[in-house]
């Protein structure tokens, strides 16, 4: 997935829009340490900027490749004919 950037740094809102996720999901990735970010504020409220290289690294690590593994076929139980006496029991 190739995303075109105009600035070397992106805001969480821009990343959320390009990935079609909620902004809070991006903040959770930053706070958990899964997505590297720079805090540019000096106050109580964080203002993050994410380098496009860090975003590309995260997306490369988050890539899911589904392995196609066939399940073994289940063996059917074979019926063994039961000998019957002459009255059918």
């Amino acid at each position: 997935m190739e995303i075109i950037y105009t600035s070397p740094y992106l805001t969480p809102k821009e990343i959320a829009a390009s990935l079609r996720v909620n902004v809070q999901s991006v903040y959770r990735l930053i706070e958990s340490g899964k997505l590297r970010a720079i805090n540019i504020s000096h106050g109580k409220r964080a203002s993050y900027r994410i380098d496009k290289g860090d975003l590309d690294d995260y997306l490369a690590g988050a890539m899911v490749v589904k392995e196609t593994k066939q399940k073994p076929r289940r063996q059917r139980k074979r019926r063994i004919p039961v000998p019957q006496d002459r009255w059918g029991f």
Side-chain angles (χ1 to χ4, degrees):
M1 176 163 98
E2 185 66 30
I3 301 173
I4 300 172
Y5 309 105
T6 57
S7 172
Y9 293 101
L10 301 166
T11 64
K13 187 175 181 180
E14 292 171 334
I15 291 174
S18 66
L19 297 178
R20 297 182 190 168
V21 297
N22 193 319
V23 178
Q24 291 302 317
S25 298
V26 177
Y27 281 111
R28 278 193 295 268
L29 289 172
I30 293 168
E31 291 169 2
S32 69
K34 293 180 181 178
L35 179 61
R36 293 183 57 185
I38 301 167
N39 185 359
I40 61 170
S41 70
H42 297 290
K44 293 181 181 179
R45 186 173 180 178
S47 181
Y48 293 113
R49 296 296 181 268
I50 297 95
D51 184 48
K52 69 175 188 171
D54 292 332
L55 177 61
D56 290 337
D57 290 342
Y58 169 75
L59 292 175
M63 185 75 62
V64 176
V65 179
K66 184 177 179 182
E67 294 183 21
T68 56
K69 193 177 197 182
Q70 291 184 348
K71 293 181 180 179
R73 296 185 96 186
R74 196 175 91 170
Q75 296 289 330
R76 289 178 46 183
K77 292 184 179 179
R78 295 183 178 251
R79 291 186 168 209
I80 301 172
V82 178
Q84 297 178 352
D85 59 6
R86 59 185 186 153
W87 294 283
F89 293 108

